[in-house]
Amino acid sequence: MDLNLGIEYEAFREEVAAFLAESWRPRTPGGDRLRQERAFRTLATQRGYLYRRYPRRYGGGEQPDDALKEQIIREELAKAGAPGEINSGGSKLLAPTLLSWGQDWQKERFLRAALHGEEIWCQGYSEPGAGSDLASIRTRAELDGDAWVINGQKIWTSNAAQADFMFALVRTEPDAPKHRGISYILLDMRAEGVTVRPLRQMTGESEFNEVFLDNVRTPADWIVGERGQGWQVSRTTLSFERAAVNPPPFIDALLQRLKDVARRRTRDGRPLIECTDIQQRIAEIEGYAMAHRYSVMRQVSMDSVGQDPGAAALCNKLVGTDIGQMIARLSQEMIGEEGLLMPAPGTSRENMDDVFWVMRSSSVAIAGGTSNIQRNIIAERALDLPREGKPA
Amino acid sequence: MNFHLSDDQIALQDAVRSCVRGIGKGQLHRAAFDSADGHAPEFRDGLVALGALGVGIDQDYGGLGLKLVDLALVCEVLGQEAAPGGYTGHVLAALAVQVAGSPEQKQRWLPRLADGSSIATVALGGAQGWEPEDWTLRVEDSKLNGAGGFAVGADAADLVVVGLAGGGLTIVEMAPPSVTITPLDGSDRSRRLFDLHFTDAVADPLPIAAGPRIYDALLVLLCADAFGGASRVMELTADYARTRVQFGRPIGGFQGVKHQLANLLCEVEPCRGLLWYAALCFDLDLADRSRTIALAKAHLADRYMHMARSAIELHGGIGYTWEYDLQIWVKRAMFDFAYGGTPGVLRQRAVRLGCLD
């Protein structure tokens, strides 16, 4: 065991770094940043550094699966401050689903634009009556000639106002058992009968929306997988969503911010970072963060040689969530009576003040499925405990 | 990247596990725990036969020439199996001689430590403070006087490596009456503790002051024991939850129990990577070695203890009895928690070494 990547991978790292030095100019003054990023992504994809699992004909980099190379690319992109793959519902959730389940024409039509952010997608899963128990959705679609007619309501839909399309779970087989009556359907957000209403969050911002679907028509062949297969199809997306929540670099960044808050703020004229109680608590969280970091590193390394990392992979989301909650709690302690106030005007996700940051951190326990659902999954799959509602 | 176990490493762990389980019909942990002196000669012979005593000793001196990470893998299995004896003290003493000894000292001791013809232990700090900065004993005119605390298995040892003021180390042979050993009524009966007292004991100091390094190695091996132990307690408790029936169903089907177990798994499982990294910090002598190892030991000791306490809670009354094996691991968790420094002490050490910078 060692921490060296080996000659082949070190050479790959140099290759990526050389490409970045040549192709990425950070913050060209006066330049159109979005256009610059788009051009860079196109080039990086052609070189096989982005969207590696997707064929070139669908806008991918088409490279053999190699978790280590992917990690090296992410590290080098971060070092250079260069944009990576677009992190959106379209590229991270819809695209892998289409790749596994889509018909050729669907891949042809949607994949490239979804990956590169040229068309924006939102996810239509949750409903007011179907959260953790997602399979109980009631939004229904009926075939009418060459179109599905959709009626119902979706909720917690991020970016619905900006989205061009939605991928949605709808009930198409009302008489089938609840998991087998669902289909995975695509629809145009500009179609007649789609109404988006923003939901105001506790932070004051509006990321989520309610989406009302009132006799919305979508072509009959805009279905991914077979009729009634939607539940199975959606599992692809959910597993990708869970894997993406709270990875170690995100947690490490939170931890850096926590230390930064402790340096900036004082108690009785003394920086908090010099107070023993605060030191102890940060050091304790650091222990959790280190374990998460090296556990994920172990999983990547094992994956790369075909070993099974076992239960650790199931734990990642909850582990990251719990560390996020610990960090939030200690931050709240440190911001003291400022926690009585709303975030300062003008604070935003891009430029968070400490209050906003503390409030926002509550969302890590919800995104991609609540923690309690995650605990059921871990208990049943990793510990082989009896399934919910089924006495063994 | 090579951050996974090799086939040889997996084979080493399997061999040690079979060795422990092959003795006394899989009840070695129980027999030794309940015996008067805690000795397990058959098990020691088994480890010798495997070459396990010489895992970290250079091949020139009859060892396997492996790294601390490999010693940690052995200790992980010993922790899992609650194996009795002073393996950790023995291999640490050997490591001290190897990294800090003179050619003569190495020649004299390492082959004997590798094949088990001499048995060693360590006395690094103790009640007056575990960290090398706290060590107070001094060698004067080649003689050692004073007390050394909490030496594991000292009654079976031929020599002890003692920590000295300033971070030095010395070999002392267990020659009464210049060295007296007093058994302590330790709670972890699988690792018996002794106080040592030196009266003009002949000291043979190691020329290099490797105390801080050996202290780090001690912490890594305690991490390994803690991880192994915590995983076993996890397994034991999940087994119990699957089989214990109340209200007409296995208690593991109740969400309260399921969620508590899932939370515990999320505490324990990520520590495997942490343990490996801590060991690599030592083997590669990384810049963050001492502070990372201190944080890792603090974290693992806390996780093991929490796992053990929760396991008692999940078992109900049976978990609090002497007859049920869980108590053996609970007491090993208590040992790993305090030995080498408690989590609070070690976190403060990590802060001093710059973990908040």
Side-chain angles (χ1 to χ4, degrees):
Chain A
M1 202 185 287
D2 60 53
L3 297 172
N4 299 325
L5 290 169
I7 293 169
E8 183 200 346
Y9 287 102
E10 289 302 347
F12 181 73
R13 185 188 289 283
E14 280 172 31
E15 177 196 311
V16 178
F19 163 75
L20 284 164
E22 188 184 313
S23 316
W24 175 247
R25 299 273 169 278
R27 302 284 146 92
T28 321
D32 178 344
R33 189 146 154 261
L34 280 179
R35 182 172 303 173
Q36 192 198 357
E37 288 187 356
R38 198 172 304 147
F40 172 80
R41 281 200 185 93
T42 306
L43 190 60
T45 306
Q46 279 164 8
R47 292 289 195 93
Y49 297 147
L50 297 180
Y51 307 115
R52 292 163 52 90
R53 51 197 299 261
Y54 297 91
R56 288 188 180 273
R57 55 193 288 240
Y58 302 137
E62 196 166 334
Q63 299 295 321
D65 189 25
D66 189 327
L68 272 183
K69 284 191 175 174
E70 277 165 30
Q71 177 153 319
I72 290 169
I73 293 164
R74 278 194 299 271
E75 286 170 5
E76 291 303 311
L77 288 169
K79 227 187 276 173
E85 294 179 6
I86 288 182
N87 188 8
S88 68
S91 81
K92 294 295 177 199
L93 305 178
L94 173 77
T97 309
L98 273 187
L99 190 65
S100 308
W101 296 90
Q103 297 169 37
D104 285 345
W105 77 264
Q106 291 172 332
K107 295 181 193 171
E108 206 82 58
R109 165 64 188 86
F110 295 119
L111 264 180
R112 178 185 299 271
L115 288 176
H116 292 271
E118 289 149 18
E119 288 171 341
I120 298 174
W121 288 80
C122 61
Q123 181 190 58
Y125 280 12
S126 299
E127 295 181 6
S132 294
D133 182 13
L134 186 58
S136 66
I137 51 158
R138 285 160 60 187
T139 295
R140 64 191 190 279
E142 284 162 307
L143 211 46
D144 175 29
D146 58 357
W148 293 102
V149 180
I150 308 169
N151 279 289
Q153 182 193 349
K154 294 294 175 181
I155 198 169
W156 317 127
T157 315
S158 302
N159 300 317
Q162 297 79 33
D164 301 296
F165 301 102
M166 171 187 275
F167 53 97
L169 291 181
V170 296
R171 191 159 299 281
T172 53
E173 326 300 316
D175 301 326
K178 73 176 186 180
H179 289 86
R180 281 187 235 137
I182 296 170
S183 296
Y184 189 103
I185 281 184
L186 313 177
L187 63 98
D188 189 331
M189 288 296 281
R190 297 200 186 81
E192 205 175 317
V194 177
T195 310
V196 176
R197 187 184 296 164
L199 285 166
R200 192 159 182 237
Q201 293 156 219
M202 61 178 275
T203 54
E205 54 177 349
S206 287
E207 248 174 296
F208 302 143
N209 303 271
E210 293 178 287
V211 179
F212 298 89
L213 304 166
D214 185 16
N215 284 317
V216 175
R217 294 180 77 87
T218 196
D221 59 353
W222 283 32
I223 178 172
V224 182
E226 302 293 322
R227 281 180 75 142
Q229 213 180 14
W231 183 255
Q232 212 181 329
V233 174
S234 74
R235 298 292 90 187
T236 323
T237 316
L238 269 186
S239 60
F240 277 94
E241 191 173 352
R242 289 198 180 111
V245 179
N246 305 327
F250 176 78
I251 295 295
D252 289 342
L254 288 182
L255 197 56
Q256 278 311 318
R257 171 127 193 184
L258 182 75
K259 291 178 188 172
D260 179 52
V261 174
R263 268 182 223 114
R264 278 192 276 113
R265 292 175 177 268
T266 57
R267 181 197 290 160
D268 302 330
R270 211 162 143 229
L272 284 167
I273 203 156
E274 291 173 15
C275 302
T276 312
D277 60 320
I278 299 289
Q279 291 177 333
Q280 282 282 327
R281 289 175 70 180
I282 300 180
E284 183 170 0
I285 296 172
E286 181 104 45
Y288 280 102
M290 281 186 355
H292 187 39
R293 196 183 312 146
Y294 299 116
S295 175
V296 169
M297 185 161 122
R298 164 179 168 269
Q299 293 167 45
V300 170
S301 183
M302 291 181 79
D303 270 341
S304 74
V305 293
Q307 291 182 5
D308 176 13
L314 282 174
C315 296
N316 288 339
K317 179 185 187 282
L318 194 55
V319 168
T321 301
D322 286 346
I323 301 171
Q325 299 279 39
M326 286 178 222
I327 291 175
R329 214 174 76 193
L330 181 53
S331 316
Q332 197 172 359
E333 166 84 36
M334 295 197 292
I335 66 173
E337 40 293 331
E338 255 178 72
L340 296 167
L341 308 175
M342 274 304 276
T347 189
S348 69
R349 257 188 287 167
E350 288 69 37
N351 183 24
M352 292 184 260
D353 72 3
D354 291 342
V355 180
F356 187 92
W357 185 62
V358 167
M359 273 192 196
R360 193 177 158 74
S361 57
S362 302
S363 70
V364 298
I366 304 165
T370 65
S371 291
N372 279 335
I373 288 294
Q374 205 57 30
R375 290 183 184 106
N376 283 350
I377 293 173
I378 293 167
E380 288 162 16
R381 296 194 202 153
L383 297 173
D384 200 21
L385 295 174
R387 291 184 67 85
E388 201 51 36
K390 288 183 191 162
Chain B
M1 187 167 39
N2 181 14
F3 197 59
H4 51 266
L5 300 185
S6 66
D7 291 345
D8 284 348
Q9 287 171 322
I10 293 168
L12 175 66
Q13 289 200 308
D14 288 346
V16 174
R17 194 174 290 114
S18 306
C19 170
V20 185
R21 292 187 182 176
I23 294 165
K25 295 182 184 139
Q27 292 301 308
L28 173 65
H29 59 290
R30 172 53 73 175
F33 199 85
D34 286 339
S35 75
D37 61 10
H39 289 179
E42 197 186 341
F43 174 51
R44 194 175 84 192
D45 294 346
L47 288 176
V48 169
L50 279 178
L53 299 193
V55 165
I57 295 174
D58 282 349
Q59 286 172 324
D60 294 349
Y61 298 108
L64 301 181
L66 300 173
K67 304 282 193 185
L68 187 70
V69 70
D70 304 290
L71 283 169
L73 293 173
V74 174
C75 288
E76 178 192 333
V77 175
L78 300 184
Q80 237 166 19
E81 304 296 325
Y87 181 81
T88 301
H90 180 84
V91 296
L92 281 170
L95 194 63
V97 173
Q98 175 151 297
V99 302
S102 66
E104 297 73 34
Q105 286 167 326
K106 291 188 202 183
Q107 199 56 60
R108 175 159 182 220
W109 291 113
L110 290 180
R112 304 174 59 79
L113 293 172
D115 70 12
S117 49
S118 289
I119 294 298
T121 187
V122 292
L124 305 175
Q128 82 275 26
W130 291 96
E131 297 172 84
E133 300 77 34
D134 301 329
W135 299 349
T136 54
L137 291 175
R138 288 174 196 284
V139 174
E140 281 161 355
D141 303 326
S142 300
K143 295 280 162 46
L144 188 66
N145 282 286
F150 302 121
V152 177
D155 59 337
D158 305 295
L159 66 150
V160 57
V161 170
V162 182
L164 301 173
L169 297 163
T170 186
I171 301 171
V172 176
E173 290 186 60
M174 296 289 202
S178 67
V179 182
T180 54
I181 62 169
T182 313
L184 298 170
D185 189 15
S187 57
D188 175 9
R189 294 174 60 81
S190 60
R191 288 175 286 190
R192 306 291 169 104
L193 292 169
F194 297 84
D195 267 344
L196 303 178
H197 202 271
F198 306 104
T199 313
D200 282 339
V202 177
D204 183 15
L206 303 175
I208 298 170
R213 215 170 141 66
I214 298 306
Y215 175 67
D216 283 351
L218 165 69
L219 297 184
V220 169
L221 298 186
L222 289 166
C223 282
D225 186 86
F227 178 71
S231 332
R232 168 53 71 82
V233 175
M234 182 78 235
E235 208 179 288
L236 198 74
T237 311
D239 277 346
Y240 186 76
R242 278 191 295 268
T243 47
R244 167 73 176 167
V245 173
Q246 287 287 273
F247 305 102
R249 54 197 276 213
I251 60 169
F254 293 106
Q255 216 167 36
V257 173
K258 273 167 96 160
H259 285 192
Q260 195 175 0
L261 284 167
N263 287 342
L264 289 166
L265 187 70
C266 285
E267 288 197 26
V268 173
E269 185 55 36
C271 292
R272 194 189 298 272
L274 177 60
L275 164 63
W276 293 356
Y277 184 76
L280 279 187
C281 272
F282 182 93
D283 286 334
L284 304 174
D285 201 14
L286 301 181
D288 60 343
R289 184 191 87 204
S290 295
R291 70 163 187 264
T292 298
I293 289 173
L295 278 181
K297 198 283 194 169
H299 187 70
L300 262 153
D302 261 342
R303 301 289 71 75
Y304 189 11
M305 200 64 243
H306 185 229
M307 179 73 234
R309 284 185 183 282
S310 306
I312 295 178
E313 183 182 324
L314 282 155
H315 274 82
I318 186 79
Y320 197 63
T321 61
W322 191 275
E323 288 90 331
Y324 194 71
D325 282 349
L326 177 58
Q327 63 124 341
I328 297 178
W329 279 276
V330 172
K331 285 161 181 169
R332 286 181 73 99
M334 292 174 74
F335 181 101
D336 291 347
F337 188 90
Y339 204 87
T342 58
V345 167
L346 291 176
R347 291 196 180 105
Q348 221 50 51
R349 172 178 175 77
V351 169
R352 263 199 330 275
L353 294 171
C355 85
L356 299 184
D357 297 347

